[in-house]
Amino acid sequence: MPELGRAALVLCLGLALYALVAGGYAAATRKRRLARSAQNAIFAVFASSVVAAIVLLAALLRHDFSFTYVAEHTSRRLPTPYTISAFWGGQEGSLLLWLLILTGLSALAIALARRTAADLVAWVVPVLALVASFFAFMLVAVSSPFATQVAPADGAGLNPSLQNPYMMIHPPCLYLGYVGLTIPFAFAMGALLARRTDELWIVVTRRWTLVAWTALGVGQLLGAHWAYVEVGWGGYYAWDPVENAALMPWLAATAFLHSVMIQEKRGMLKVWNVLLVTLAFCLSLFGTFLTRSGVVSSIHSFTQSPLGGWFLGFICLIAIGSLALILNRLPLLRSKTRMESLVSREATFLYNNLLLVALSLTILWGVIFPILTEAVRGEQITVSAPYYNFFLRIFGLPLLLLMGLGPLVAWRRASLRSLGRSFAWPAGIALAVGIVLLLLGAGSSWIGLLAYTFSAFVLGSIGYEFVRGTRARRALTGGPWLAAFSELVARNRRRYGGYIVHAAVVLLAIGVVGSSAYDKVSEQTLSAGESMSIGHYGLTYDRLVRQQGPNDTEFRAVLDVRKDGSRIGTLQSGKNSYPAEQQTSNEVGIRTDYLTGEDLFVITDQINPNGTIAFKVLVKPLVNLIWLAGFVFLIGSLVALWPSAVEQRRLADRYRELRVYARA
Amino acid sequence: MARPSPVRLVIALSVAAALAIFLLYVSVAGGTPSIQPSQLPGHKGDVALVGKVSGSPAGDAHADGLRFRIRDVSGSTSVPVVYTGSVPDLFRVGREVRVEGKLHDGVFVAKKDSLRTKCPSKYTTKKST
């Protein structure tokens, strides 16, 4: 069996290299049949990587410990879902998943676009093939999932902290995001290579970018929730390099999603767009590199990892190659139109882009700072939460404000009178909310108060847009409000889907600010029967329960919870002890108030031999809005993604127009 | 003569603003040196000490402090540490940890709740068991 897997990977590499060379040659010499053959080779790489994936999956499910990978990441007692998730639990499997998703998406993108954008696809194929070749090469030569050994009696098992249902969904979701960014990048490079610097590549890849970006965003929120309920320190994001690894490309992709609209509408920012998509793709490669190379812990461990050097080399190759290509095509990327005013829709998009990129790059700087200082001074200087929080505020608050301003400002040039008209309502709402919050005592955190006032402004401006649109629609068609509203959204899915996503970002901001700027913490050691209080909650430690789990011993402290003096139930918080792995894990107790979105978060920090327990209790207001934001975000993305007949017609016209343009 | 594009002005101004903000930040609060026990002599201020847990951890982290030693990742120099606050699940002798604080009479006095373990699943450096 391992031979089949290895053979499939070698075949992947061979086919990908063929697609690279033949595809490039065919595109350069305009040989149609050869270009077709290169496309088919990409389909075959996908088929071959499916075979490799099936071999690994079968080995995992059969507990075939003669596969080194299976022995190192699973054990016989491991429940089946986690045995499957071990596919991406280690380095080799993760790389195989990368290749599998990459070739799957590539095949689909080529199949969908080769009719409407044939000349583009001819050049996209070698770019995709280059990326696929790299990953296939890594799997064949550097980090093979099909290494074999004499089978031990049992495997090493999966780290207990990874044994969580989120292990099933969080990593694949993130990978879909990382890998998905390859598609817009490949089309951008394909467009430059083919000298088709019109909007075609953007029109073709809009959905691909949106899918990758959505997956990356949802994946991060899943990870945040996982950290929140499982790691048990009371937070959901710690600015860990591995977390930042996904945030950086997401921010760059967010900027890209916005700036391509400017190119679509006004034909501007062409150079910026190809630069941004290159940045987003490089950051996504860098993210994979970060999580897999060990470079973060030390520059020295970096040299121990066989993967690091190759990855760094490939990132450099992509970055330098793309930049050289962009420079070479610069004359073709001149805009036909230019920005007319600094107070216009385009200008707000530009500010939003600069802020997003600045935020992304400051995070990058923070991540590589220890590596740089170690290389230069021989001593690591690390930056931590204060650094990131500082820049999140500096760049994040203006971003929040812009999100409210953008939709209200007219394209090209906004007049003061129209601005005043559309600003009146949202600004009034924001002011009122700010004053009410100040009276309620939110002034304890100025940042929080500012963020909430801005949030109210954004929600006000989104609401205003919906009301204005619905009213206009109703004036046109008559009929009831609800029908006018749903028609409005259905006919402008991109726009109103976008507004829903904006609303999700506001919910996220409210949740993050609420749970960090207005939280309460209390630590106390209690004997059975003793009580403590925090905010409007009272807790009494009742008793300690001990029970035997399948592969662990579980201790649970049972607490009585009161709120504003009246009893509202019991809460369990404790620790699990895994003897085989010699490890304990915190099992926090969380009580959610679904009405206010507030969590009471109880950590059993230490169980003492004398029976007393050191508790750490947090009250986190509004934290559940973060998870709600995830759902709203997904809904907004789906609305923007959903195909509509109107849009299909518009697209068809667009393709025809662009074809005429290309011939001219 | 063509008017220079406002886009350039915006970009130039924002680059200047970003630099100014950055300098402001750096002057207000810098990073923390991250060092191993053997590099500890010579550092007076706050540092992040990185290394492997050694010795036999004893004491109460929620009372007068948990006492253990931190050793160089590949070396034998070690330093006694006293720590109060939450102890992460993954804390164990032999594990790589990071703790912030400063040296005080030969003992590294850690800041409350600053102990972190390096996640074994994420930073795969080499085959580990």
PDB file of all heavy atoms in Angstrom, chain B residues 51-73:
ATOM      1  N   GLY B  51      13.313  28.121  28.117  1.00  0.00           N
ATOM      2  CA  GLY B  51      14.124  26.939  28.354  1.00  0.00           C
ATOM      3  C   GLY B  51      13.277  25.761  28.761  1.00  0.00           C
ATOM      4  O   GLY B  51      12.046  25.811  28.664  1.00  0.00           O
ATOM      5  N   LYS B  52      13.968  24.688  29.208  1.00  0.00           N
ATOM      6  CA  LYS B  52      13.237  23.492  29.603  1.00  0.00           C
ATOM      7  C   LYS B  52      13.073  23.456  31.109  1.00  0.00           C
ATOM      8  O   LYS B  52      13.987  23.831  31.850  1.00  0.00           O
ATOM      9  CB  LYS B  52      13.995  22.253  29.138  1.00  0.00           C
ATOM     10  CG  LYS B  52      13.796  21.977  27.669  1.00  0.00           C
ATOM     11  CD  LYS B  52      14.387  20.659  27.259  1.00  0.00           C
ATOM     12  CE  LYS B  52      14.010  20.372  25.819  1.00  0.00           C
ATOM     13  NZ  LYS B  52      14.835  19.345  25.223  1.00  0.00           N
ATOM     14  N   VAL B  53      11.930  22.960  31.548  1.00  0.00           N
ATOM     15  CA  VAL B  53      11.680  22.821  32.979  1.00  0.00           C
ATOM     16  C   VAL B  53      12.578  21.711  33.518  1.00  0.00           C
ATOM     17  O   VAL B  53      12.629  20.626  32.944  1.00  0.00           O
ATOM     18  CB  VAL B  53      10.211  22.476  33.247  1.00  0.00           C
ATOM     19  CG1 VAL B  53       9.971  22.319  34.736  1.00  0.00           C
ATOM     20  CG2 VAL B  53       9.305  23.530  32.657  1.00  0.00           C
ATOM     21  N   SER B  54      13.311  21.994  34.605  1.00  0.00           N
ATOM     22  CA  SER B  54      14.105  20.941  35.230  1.00  0.00           C
ATOM     23  C   SER B  54      13.965  21.060  36.742  1.00  0.00           C
ATOM     24  O   SER B  54      13.197  21.871  37.243  1.00  0.00           O
ATOM     25  CB  SER B  54      15.569  21.050  34.790  1.00  0.00           C
ATOM     26  OG  SER B  54      16.143  22.216  35.301  1.00  0.00           O
ATOM     27  N   GLY B  55      14.735  20.276  37.474  1.00  0.00           N
ATOM     28  CA  GLY B  55      14.586  20.239  38.917  1.00  0.00           C
ATOM     29  C   GLY B  55      13.299  19.522  39.262  1.00  0.00           C
ATOM     30  O   GLY B  55      12.705  18.852  38.410  1.00  0.00           O
ATOM     31  N   SER B  56      12.849  19.622  40.500  1.00  0.00           N
ATOM     32  CA  SER B  56      11.569  19.007  40.832  1.00  0.00           C
ATOM     33  C   SER B  56      10.647  20.110  41.318  1.00  0.00           C
ATOM     34  O   SER B  56      10.831  20.635  42.399  1.00  0.00           O
ATOM     35  CB  SER B  56      11.734  17.920  41.895  1.00  0.00           C
ATOM     36  OG  SER B  56      12.709  18.324  42.830  1.00  0.00           O
ATOM     37  N   PRO B  57       9.676  20.471  40.462  1.00  0.00           N
ATOM     38  CA  PRO B  57       8.773  21.570  40.822  1.00  0.00           C
ATOM     39  C   PRO B  57       8.112  21.307  42.177  1.00  0.00           C
ATOM     40  O   PRO B  57       7.608  20.212  42.413  1.00  0.00           O
ATOM     41  CB  PRO B  57       7.742  21.567  39.689  1.00  0.00           C
ATOM     42  CG  PRO B  57       8.462  20.945  38.538  1.00  0.00           C
ATOM     43  CD  PRO B  57       9.375  19.924  39.132  1.00  0.00           C
ATOM     44  N   ALA B  58       8.147  22.308  43.055  1.00  0.00           N
ATOM     45  CA  ALA B  58       7.533  22.162  44.368  1.00  0.00           C
ATOM     46  C   ALA B  58       6.968  23.502  44.798  1.00  0.00           C
ATOM     47  O   ALA B  58       7.385  24.540  44.310  1.00  0.00           O
ATOM     48  CB  ALA B  58       8.575  21.683  45.388  1.00  0.00           C
ATOM     49  N   GLY B  59       6.012  23.460  45.709  1.00  0.00           N
ATOM     50  CA  GLY B  59       5.420  24.692  46.216  1.00  0.00           C
ATOM     51  C   GLY B  59       4.078  24.944  45.564  1.00  0.00           C
ATOM     52  O   GLY B  59       3.654  24.226  44.662  1.00  0.00           O
ATOM     53  N   ASP B  60       3.411  25.985  46.027  1.00  0.00           N
ATOM     54  CA  ASP B  60       2.051  26.263  45.593  1.00  0.00           C
ATOM     55  C   ASP B  60       2.037  27.563  44.788  1.00  0.00           C
ATOM     56  O   ASP B  60       2.361  28.621  45.317  1.00  0.00           O
ATOM     57  CB  ASP B  60       1.162  26.397  46.842  1.00  0.00           C
ATOM     58  CG  ASP B  60      -0.302  26.575  46.489  1.00  0.00           C
ATOM     59  OD1 ASP B  60      -0.602  26.800  45.288  1.00  0.00           O
ATOM     60  OD2 ASP B  60      -1.134  26.492  47.414  1.00  0.00           O
ATOM     61  N   ALA B  61       1.674  27.446  43.527  1.00  0.00           N
ATOM     62  CA  ALA B  61       1.670  28.617  42.648  1.00  0.00           C
ATOM     63  C   ALA B  61       0.609  29.621  43.072  1.00  0.00           C
ATOM     64  O   ALA B  61       0.620  30.761  42.615  1.00  0.00           O
ATOM     65  CB  ALA B  61       1.449  28.187  41.208  1.00  0.00           C
ATOM     66  N   HIS B  62      -0.322  29.197  43.925  1.00  0.00           N
ATOM     67  CA  HIS B  62      -1.366  30.122  44.356  1.00  0.00           C
ATOM     68  C   HIS B  62      -1.151  30.597  45.786  1.00  0.00           C
ATOM     69  O   HIS B  62      -2.025  31.179  46.400  1.00  0.00           O
ATOM     70  CB  HIS B  62      -2.735  29.466  44.202  1.00  0.00           C
ATOM     71  CG  HIS B  62      -3.106  29.278  42.766  1.00  0.00           C
ATOM     72  ND1 HIS B  62      -3.750  30.240  42.036  1.00  0.00           N
ATOM     73  CD2 HIS B  62      -2.849  28.265  41.907  1.00  0.00           C
ATOM     74  CE1 HIS B  62      -3.910  29.820  40.798  1.00  0.00           C
ATOM     75  NE2 HIS B  62      -3.365  28.624  40.694  1.00  0.00           N
ATOM     76  N   ALA B  63       0.035  30.252  46.345  1.00  0.00           N
ATOM     77  CA  ALA B  63       0.363  30.774  47.668  1.00  0.00           C
ATOM     78  C   ALA B  63       1.720  31.473  47.586  1.00  0.00           C
ATOM     79  O   ALA B  63       1.840  32.487  46.938  1.00  0.00           O
ATOM     80  CB  ALA B  63       0.357  29.640  48.692  1.00  0.00           C
ATOM     81  N   ASP B  64       2.766  30.862  48.177  1.00  0.00           N
ATOM     82  CA  ASP B  64       4.046  31.558  48.169  1.00  0.00           C
ATOM     83  C   ASP B  64       4.884  31.249  46.933  1.00  0.00           C
ATOM     84  O   ASP B  64       6.021  31.689  46.831  1.00  0.00           O
ATOM     85  CB  ASP B  64       4.826  31.246  49.459  1.00  0.00           C
ATOM     86  CG  ASP B  64       4.990  29.749  49.659  1.00  0.00           C
ATOM     87  OD1 ASP B  64       4.340  28.994  48.900  1.00  0.00           O
ATOM     88  OD2 ASP B  64       5.748  29.339  50.542  1.00  0.00           O
ATOM     89  N   GLY B  65       4.332  30.515  46.010  1.00  0.00           N
ATOM     90  CA  GLY B  65       5.009  30.361  44.721  1.00  0.00           C
ATOM     91  C   GLY B  65       5.467  28.955  44.405  1.00  0.00           C
ATOM     92  O   GLY B  65       5.850  28.186  45.288  1.00  0.00           O
ATOM     93  N   LEU B  66       5.403  28.626  43.129  1.00  0.00           N
ATOM     94  CA  LEU B  66       5.896  27.351  42.627  1.00  0.00           C
ATOM     95  C   LEU B  66       7.373  27.531  42.319  1.00  0.00           C
ATOM     96  O   LEU B  66       7.775  28.495  41.678  1.00  0.00           O
ATOM     97  CB  LEU B  66       5.118  26.986  41.346  1.00  0.00           C
ATOM     98  CG  LEU B  66       5.476  25.683  40.644  1.00  0.00           C
ATOM     99  CD1 LEU B  66       5.028  24.494  41.468  1.00  0.00           C
ATOM    100  CD2 LEU B  66       4.843  25.622  39.269  1.00  0.00           C
ATOM    101  N   ARG B  67       8.212  26.586  42.843  1.00  0.00           N
ATOM    102  CA  ARG B  67       9.658  26.695  42.610  1.00  0.00           C
ATOM    103  C   ARG B  67      10.129  25.578  41.699  1.00  0.00           C
ATOM    104  O   ARG B  67       9.793  24.416  41.924  1.00  0.00           O
ATOM    105  CB  ARG B  67      10.405  26.646  43.940  1.00  0.00           C
ATOM    106  CG  ARG B  67      10.218  27.921  44.733  1.00  0.00           C
ATOM    107  CD  ARG B  67      10.642  27.800  46.177  1.00  0.00           C
ATOM    108  NE  ARG B  67      10.259  29.030  46.872  1.00  0.00           N
ATOM    109  CZ  ARG B  67      10.976  30.150  46.824  1.00  0.00           C
ATOM    110  NH1 ARG B  67      12.107  30.195  46.115  1.00  0.00           N
ATOM    111  NH2 ARG B  67      10.565  31.235  47.460  1.00  0.00           N
ATOM    112  N   PHE B  68      10.858  25.934  40.664  1.00  0.00           N
ATOM    113  CA  PHE B  68      11.449  24.933  39.767  1.00  0.00           C
ATOM    114  C   PHE B  68      12.675  25.564  39.121  1.00  0.00           C
ATOM    115  O   PHE B  68      13.044  26.693  39.456  1.00  0.00           O
ATOM    116  CB  PHE B  68      10.440  24.471  38.714  1.00  0.00           C
ATOM    117  CG  PHE B  68       9.806  25.571  37.898  1.00  0.00           C
ATOM    118  CD1 PHE B  68      10.341  25.931  36.656  1.00  0.00           C
ATOM    119  CD2 PHE B  68       8.691  26.252  38.357  1.00  0.00           C
ATOM    120  CE1 PHE B  68       9.766  26.936  35.901  1.00  0.00           C
ATOM    121  CE2 PHE B  68       8.118  27.272  37.610  1.00  0.00           C
ATOM    122  CZ  PHE B  68       8.645  27.609  36.388  1.00  0.00           C
ATOM    123  N   ARG B  69      13.328  24.838  38.255  1.00  0.00           N
ATOM    124  CA  ARG B  69      14.482  25.405  37.553  1.00  0.00           C
ATOM    125  C   ARG B  69      14.195  25.429  36.054  1.00  0.00           C
ATOM    126  O   ARG B  69      13.440  24.618  35.536  1.00  0.00           O
ATOM    127  CB  ARG B  69      15.744  24.589  37.813  1.00  0.00           C
ATOM    128  CG  ARG B  69      16.166  24.590  39.275  1.00  0.00           C
ATOM    129  CD  ARG B  69      17.460  23.822  39.459  1.00  0.00           C
ATOM    130  NE  ARG B  69      18.638  24.592  39.082  1.00  0.00           N
ATOM    131  CZ  ARG B  69      19.287  25.429  39.904  1.00  0.00           C
ATOM    132  NH1 ARG B  69      18.870  25.599  41.138  1.00  0.00           N
ATOM    133  NH2 ARG B  69      20.356  26.078  39.493  1.00  0.00           N
ATOM    134  N   ILE B  70      14.795  26.373  35.363  1.00  0.00           N
ATOM    135  CA  ILE B  70      14.732  26.378  33.892  1.00  0.00           C
ATOM    136  C   ILE B  70      16.152  26.226  33.379  1.00  0.00           C
ATOM    137  O   ILE B  70      17.080  26.881  33.847  1.00  0.00           O
ATOM    138  CB  ILE B  70      14.087  27.680  33.361  1.00  0.00           C
ATOM    139  CG1 ILE B  70      12.593  27.682  33.698  1.00  0.00           C
ATOM    140  CG2 ILE B  70      14.276  27.790  31.849  1.00  0.00           C
ATOM    141  CD1 ILE B  70      11.840  28.852  33.116  1.00  0.00           C
ATOM    142  N   ARG B  71      16.293  25.295  32.426  1.00  0.00           N
ATOM    143  CA  ARG B  71      17.598  24.925  31.896  1.00  0.00           C
ATOM    144  C   ARG B  71      17.644  25.329  30.427  1.00  0.00           C
ATOM    145  O   ARG B  71      16.612  25.357  29.757  1.00  0.00           O
ATOM    146  CB  ARG B  71      17.725  23.404  32.061  1.00  0.00           C
ATOM    147  CG  ARG B  71      18.948  22.765  31.495  1.00  0.00           C
ATOM    148  CD  ARG B  71      19.055  21.299  31.972  1.00  0.00           C
ATOM    149  NE  ARG B  71      17.966  20.424  31.479  1.00  0.00           N
ATOM    150  CZ  ARG B  71      17.895  19.944  30.239  1.00  0.00           C
ATOM    151  NH1 ARG B  71      18.788  20.295  29.346  1.00  0.00           N
ATOM    152  NH2 ARG B  71      16.903  19.147  29.879  1.00  0.00           N
ATOM    153  N   ASP B  72      18.850  25.621  29.921  1.00  0.00           N
ATOM    154  CA  ASP B  72      19.010  25.890  28.483  1.00  0.00           C
ATOM    155  C   ASP B  72      18.414  24.740  27.673  1.00  0.00           C
ATOM    156  O   ASP B  72      18.491  23.583  28.081  1.00  0.00           O
ATOM    157  CB  ASP B  72      20.495  26.012  28.128  1.00  0.00           C
ATOM    158  CG  ASP B  72      21.015  27.419  28.388  1.00  0.00           C
ATOM    159  OD1 ASP B  72      20.382  28.122  29.195  1.00  0.00           O
ATOM    160  OD2 ASP B  72      22.037  27.794  27.798  1.00  0.00           O
ATOM    161  N   VAL B  73      17.858  25.064  26.510  1.00  0.00           N
ATOM    162  CA  VAL B  73      17.232  24.025  25.695  1.00  0.00           C
ATOM    163  C   VAL B  73      18.257  22.959  25.308  1.00  0.00           C
ATOM    164  O   VAL B  73      17.995  21.769  25.391  1.00  0.00           O
ATOM    165  CB  VAL B  73      16.585  24.638  24.435  1.00  0.00           C
ATOM    166  CG1 VAL B  73      16.035  23.549  23.540  1.00  0.00           C
ATOM    167  CG2 VAL B  73      15.476  25.593  24.839  1.00  0.00           C
TER     168      VAL B  73
END
